[in-house]
Amino acid sequence: MTTIDVSLSTKELPSYLKSSSPLHWNNDSVCIHIEGHESEQSLTTIRRCARKISASVSASIQLMGDWSMEQQWAFASSVGSPKASVKLSFSDASSAQELSYLNDVHKAFDFARDLVNQTPEQMSPSSLADQVERFISGCGGVGAEYLTAKRLTGKELLEHQWHGIYEVGRGSERPPVLLELDYNPTGQADAPVDIALVGKGITFDSGGYSIKSSEGMLDMKCDMGGAATVSGALALAIMQGVKKRIKLFLCCAENLISGHAYKLGDIITYKNGTSVEIVNTDAEGRLVLADGLMAATESQAKMIVDAATLTGAAVMAVGRDYNAVFSLDTALQKQFLAMSDSVNEPHWPLPLSHSHKHNCPSPFADTANSRPQKGGGAGGASNAAGFLSRFVREDGQGWLHIDLAAAYNRNGSDTMVPGATGIGIRSIAALLLETA
């Protein structure tokens, strides 16, 4: 296999080489010309060039010469495709610490992206739980030693009052699952839980009886992107040596239609006593996350972070280049946004107040799971976050919700690979490492 050497240059091009493209080939080597060292513009140029190289070659790639860590990851995150992966080697000029981090990030991203890109037939709720448990057990060389797993499947969920996950998943022949992984490197069984991660793991979302259109349903294998993102973040944090106790809760189900599926007008009464009328079976993510958030709250974790491909409203608000961030804890939100800036993953805050939990009223229950109108009506992403706020501490302190608008892009873009993007993994891992 041919190896393509890729280098960077900040030198101004000679006039006879200047063109509209910053990418210049010379046999089996290519040079990317950038302005500035690590500006947003230069990182975008690197990503665009990585996409162009992906379209031109099917080979192994060696980064050569002077690249910063962020420049190398900008290239790595944008090269290749689900149909043609590229064997990438980072620059030998990098420090040992940089190479270690880059290789760990690459491993976590490859795992999370592969989870999301698997077909719905491959990815059942149990398969998602199996793959995550197996991967995290092998992380950092000590994962299995400090990792314990609990799993509730099918009607076992009812025995423990996890009604949301059960109701959403009961229409499928493949039963729903709540996976709890407890990573406790302290060696002390009574050590406090520092952080709890909660991920939406809807392995396929037909919309249920509020059925999606064919084009709207096509990519709903990606609806477990939240589970993949928090799992990838935990794996990366473990590989990077996080020392505090972290629990991971994955809420896994298939949202399908059958004679046993949940229906419009049903009422779910949750473990905390909150009753919820179902006005849209396609607003199922918040129903399963409610259980995960209550489980995380029961763990008495100091911080709870959930991630989900939750609403189309978030995509409409911030597009597919950003994830939307919500929190009633202003300090935590600022801390997370600083972390995301430090690793060049775009996130943007959207409104959330205590009043948002009242924005989906029901005459039959404490709340509805949405509004009975297309897309949940105005402010749908904030209203979904308000719904979730009912299932954490009443003041909302220590809780962060990420609506993963940028988690998946079917055809890719001039800077993104097609399919799963992994955006959010580095930011959450940085938060875990910063606070732990």
Side-chain angles (χ1 to χ4, degrees):
M1 178 183 287
T2 303
T3 298
I4 305 296
D5 294 336
V6 181
S7 60
L8 284 181
S9 176
T10 57
K11 294 180 179 178
E12 187 176 355
L13 284 168
S15 58
Y16 66 88
L17 285 178
K18 286 186 176 179
S19 71
S20 60
S21 173
L23 196 63
H24 294 274
W25 289 84
N26 182 13
N27 297 322
D28 290 335
S29 65
V30 59
C31 182
I32 301 172
H33 290 266
I34 59 173
E35 295 182 10
H37 185 62
E38 204 172 279
S39 65
E40 180 180 352
Q41 180 180 351
S42 70
L43 294 178
T44 299
T45 297
I46 290 169
R47 293 187 185 101
R48 286 175 174 159
C49 288
R51 296 304 310 138
K52 290 179 180 178
I53 291 171
S54 297
S56 302
V57 302
S58 177
S60 64
I61 293 176
Q62 173 69 58
L63 302 185
M64 303 292 292
D66 184 20
W67 293 68
S68 73
M69 189 171 70
E70 288 303 315
Q71 288 169 338
Q72 291 187 79
W73 182 246
F75 187 92
S77 64
S78 299
V79 76
S81 75
K83 292 195 295 185
S85 60
V86 171
K87 185 179 185 302
L88 177 67
S89 299
F90 294 108
S91 173
D92 291 339
S94 306
S95 68
Q97 183 178 6
E98 288 175 336
L99 284 174
S100 174
Y101 178 75
L102 286 166
N103 285 319
D104 288 347
V105 173
H106 212 297
K107 184 177 179 181
F109 267 69
D110 280 353
F111 169 71
R113 283 174 165 176
D114 176 68
L115 283 181
V116 177
N117 289 337
Q118 288 179 38
T119 70
E121 184 60 27
Q122 292 171 316
M123 182 57 70
S124 68
S126 291
S127 175
L128 174 56
D130 289 342
Q131 292 184 63
V132 168
E133 182 179 346
R134 185 164 56 245
F135 181 74
I136 293 181
S137 293
C139 287
V142 294
E145 180 182 354
Y146 297 124
L147 193 73
T148 57
K150 297 179 183 177
R151 189 180 305 197
L152 298 173
T153 303
K155 290 188 176 180
E156 291 178 334
L157 292 160
L158 291 180
E159 296 170 14
H160 292 78
Q161 300 183 64
W162 301 128
H163 296 284
I165 300 172
Y166 176 79
E167 291 294 328
V168 170
R170 69 184 171 100
S172 172
E173 293 182 357
R174 303 196 288 188
V177 174
L178 173 61
L179 175 68
E180 176 187 336
L181 294 184
D182 183 356
Y183 180 69
N184 185 8
T186 69
Q188 301 171 10
D190 60 350
V193 178
D194 291 275
I195 305 117
L197 301 174
V198 181
K200 174 187 173 184
I202 301 297
T203 55
F204 186 73
D205 181 18
S206 70
Y209 281 104
S210 304
I211 193 167
K212 294 177 181 287
S213 64
S214 180
E215 60 271 21
M217 201 188 302
L218 175 60
D219 289 307
M220 283 300 102
K221 64 183 183 181
C222 82
D223 216 16
M224 38 64 66
T229 299
V230 291
S231 298
L234 175 58
L236 177 56
I238 291 172
M239 288 187 281
Q240 286 290 296
V242 69
K243 300 300 182 185
K244 294 295 180 71
R245 187 176 185 181
I246 302 171
K247 284 197 173 187
L248 174 72
F249 297 92
L250 300 187
C251 311
C252 311
E254 287 182 317
N255 186 21
L256 299 182
I257 295 172
S258 74
H260 192 54
Y262 80 126
K263 307 170 188 70
L264 295 161
D266 281 349
I267 292 178
I268 301 174
T269 301
Y270 280 88
K271 192 174 186 179
N272 68 353
T274 301
S275 59
V276 178
E277 182 189 11
I278 307 305
V279 302
N280 186 345
T281 61
D282 196 23
E284 85 298 328
R286 65 201 71 181
L287 298 175
V288 301
L289 282 177
D291 282 340
L293 290 171
M294 285 189 294
T297 301
E298 286 183 2
S299 77
Q300 298 185 323
K302 301 171 187 175
M303 179 190 301
I304 298 172
V305 179
D306 78 76
T309 50
L310 200 64
T311 67
V315 178
M316 294 300 292
V318 300
R320 293 198 179 275
D321 295 319
Y322 286 78
N323 290 329
V325 180
F326 303 81
S327 186
L328 295 166
D329 187 332
T330 304
L332 175 57
Q333 180 171 280
K334 287 181 178 178
Q335 182 184 15
F336 177 77
L337 291 172
M339 293 294 101
S340 68
D341 284 345
S342 73
V343 296
N344 296 292
E345 284 189 332
H347 290 76
W348 198 261
L350 289 183
L352 177 62
S353 69
H354 290 284
S355 65
H356 279 101
K357 71 180 180 181
H358 302 295
N359 283 0
C360 297
S362 165
F364 301 104
D366 295 328
T367 183
N369 71 322
S370 184
R371 288 176 174 173
Q373 52 189 282
K374 186 175 181 179
S382 293
N383 294 339
F387 176 91
L388 294 178
S389 73
R390 291 174 175 270
F391 301 95
V392 295
R393 285 177 42 182
E394 189 171 346
D395 61 5
Q397 294 304 291
W399 168 58
L400 184 80
H401 165 56
I402 307 169
D403 198 328
L404 297 169
Y408 185 89
N409 191 325
R410 175 175 179 79
N411 296 312
S413 69
D414 63 344
T415 59
M416 289 184 184
V417 298
T421 68
I423 294 173
I425 291 175
R426 290 184 71 202
S427 300
I428 297 171
L431 183 67
L432 300 182
L433 291 161
E434 172 76 10
T435 57

